[in-house]
Amino acid sequence: VQLQASGGGSVQAGGSVRLSCAASGRVFSRYVMGWFRQAPGKEREFVGRFNWSDSTTYHVDSAKGRFTISGDNAKNTVYLQMNMLKPEDTAVYYCAAKSNSFKRRYDYWGRGTLVTVSS
């Protein structure tokens, strides 16, 4: 499975960015796609996930209300829509995949895409 994240860039506080993660290779319907981020000097943190099997999503509390994860099965692409961005959202954002929802570890990772939010 290969993952390609895109859509990062610079935005002012209060703005919006939509990240995309295109999956290629042997992506099966049970796969789970996750979004993570790593801010400068901080550990990587989980943002949320999308289940291909039933199109359900989960967002961590800090993302609820501002971030929305969605997926397009036809394009094998998952999106992270981020609104009302804050400077503390500045980070490298990564997408990842695991073969089913029971696994804790994500097996496949894409290169990150940088989002910079200026005040």
Side-chain angles (χ1 to χ4, degrees), residues 2-49:
Q2 293 80 43
L3 304 174
Q4 180 66 50
S6 60
S10 298
V11 62
Q12 289 193 328
S16 298
V17 168
R18 189 178 80 157
L19 304 182
S20 300
C21 177
S24 59
R26 300 181 65 184
V27 181
F28 298 110
S29 60
R30 293 176 299 173
Y31 270 56
V32 176
M33 305 291 291
W35 282 103
F36 295 77
R37 68 182 184 181
Q38 186 166 19
K42 295 187 177 181
E43 294 187 354
R44 185 170 60 197
E45 63 176 355
F46 176 64
V47 176
R49 64 173 180 265

Side-chain angles (χ1 to χ4, degrees), residues 1 3 27-36 46 48-54 56-58 78 95-103 105-108:
V1 176
L3 304 174
V27 181
F28 298 110
S29 60
R30 293 176 299 173
Y31 270 56
V32 176
M33 305 291 291
W35 282 103
F36 295 77
F46 176 64
R49 64 173 180 265
F50 176 85
N51 286 34
W52 284 118
S53 60
D54 56 9
T56 56
T57 60
Y58 170 80
V78 176
C95 62
K98 58 183 179 178
S99 57
N100 63 73
S101 61
F102 298 103
K103 299 182 68 172
R105 177 181 175 182
Y106 283 78
D107 302 307
Y108 308 97

